[in-house]
Amino acid sequence: MSTLEIKNLHANVLPTEEGQEAKPILKGVNLTINGGETHAIMGPNGSGKSTLAYTLAGHPRYEVTEGEVLLDGENVLEMDIDERARAGLFLAMQYPVEVPGVSSSNFMRSAVTSVRGEAPKLREWVGELNAAREQLQMDASFSERSVNEGFSGGEKKRHEVMQLALLKPKFAVMDETDSGLDVDALRIVSEGINRYQEETGGGVLMITHYKRILNYVHPDFVHVFANGQIVTTGGAELADQLEAEGYEKFV
């Protein structure tokens, strides 16, 4: 069973303009996720939830100043972004970017080739891609469309979950995957996340503002994030409390 350990993680967001100073966002995050577990991080806007996701993935705008992140004992902070992905760390972005001119099928095959170390045989790949697409109820024309270009919000999130299904990482960081989804899309996306976990035994870190996705992707642990760190932890019932009472008592 794989383990992801976040130890005393501090990170700054780097300035976008000359003369500005780096701003501390993460202020000592400690969290251990084992394979097969689902952890939900909930918290108010500006608390640092998305910063945690992008710092784990290696976004260049975030500078780690202290701490370590161990994936099966290896410090991923010493790895390049692509090395982190090949090691088994996956990020589903809150706002997936468009990649004009690159078809979704070619994008997915390149990603799978990089992770698996060899290109899947074409006939097998077509079957694998179509099976993943059909499970997420995406139109057959999807494969030839440019990555995320002209996709609806729901299609973008389904595309992220399809990557999850095909890449089969050890740990999936899902950054507000429920944002912008209607009821049907939320159910389909959630089923995809659950299916990934059942098939791979992977761990899930679900970052969300709201409880609604947790009605489908049931958490083993719920963590409240405030001022750049985890301030309290509980079971699934904590999400109900936050839904009813808000975050004020924890901030």
Side-chain angles (χ1 to χ4, degrees), residues 39-78:
H39 291 244
I41 287 186
M42 304 180 71
N45 283 326
S47 59
K49 303 185 304 299
S50 289
T51 296
L52 174 62
Y54 287 99
T55 299
L56 293 175
H59 194 294
R61 196 180 169 205
Y62 300 99
E63 173 190 41
V64 175
T65 57
E66 189 175 346
E68 57 185 0
V69 179
L70 303 178
L71 176 51
D72 292 338
E74 297 291 327
N75 191 358
V76 302
L77 300 180
E78 298 174 352

Side-chain angles (χ1 to χ4, degrees), residues 37-146:
E37 293 178 348
T38 297
H39 291 244
I41 287 186
M42 304 180 71
N45 283 326
S47 59
K49 303 185 304 299
S50 289
T51 296
L52 174 62
Y54 287 99
T55 299
L56 293 175
H59 194 294
R61 196 180 169 205
Y62 300 99
E63 173 190 41
V64 175
T65 57
E66 189 175 346
E68 57 185 0
V69 179
L70 303 178
L71 176 51
D72 292 338
E74 297 291 327
N75 191 358
V76 302
L77 300 180
E78 298 174 352
M79 302 177 186
D80 291 334
I81 296 172
D82 60 313
E83 292 173 329
R84 299 181 194 202
R86 283 195 294 271
L89 188 61
F90 175 87
L91 171 64
M93 294 183 284
Q94 181 180 0
Y95 302 110
V97 298
E98 296 182 3
V99 188
V102 178
S103 72
S104 294
S105 59
N106 285 339
F107 168 78
M108 290 301 309
R109 191 164 188 251
S110 295
V112 165
T113 298
S114 180
V115 168
R116 298 181 187 176
E118 62 179 5
K121 294 180 180 178
L122 189 56
R123 181 177 298 177
E124 295 174 0
W125 168 246
V126 171
E128 190 176 355
L129 183 67
N130 285 338
R133 176 184 58 76
E134 290 168 2
Q135 286 177 329
L136 290 162
Q137 299 182 30
M138 301 185 74
D139 189 83
S141 64
F142 151 81
S143 297
E144 300 310 315
R145 295 167 65 186
S146 293

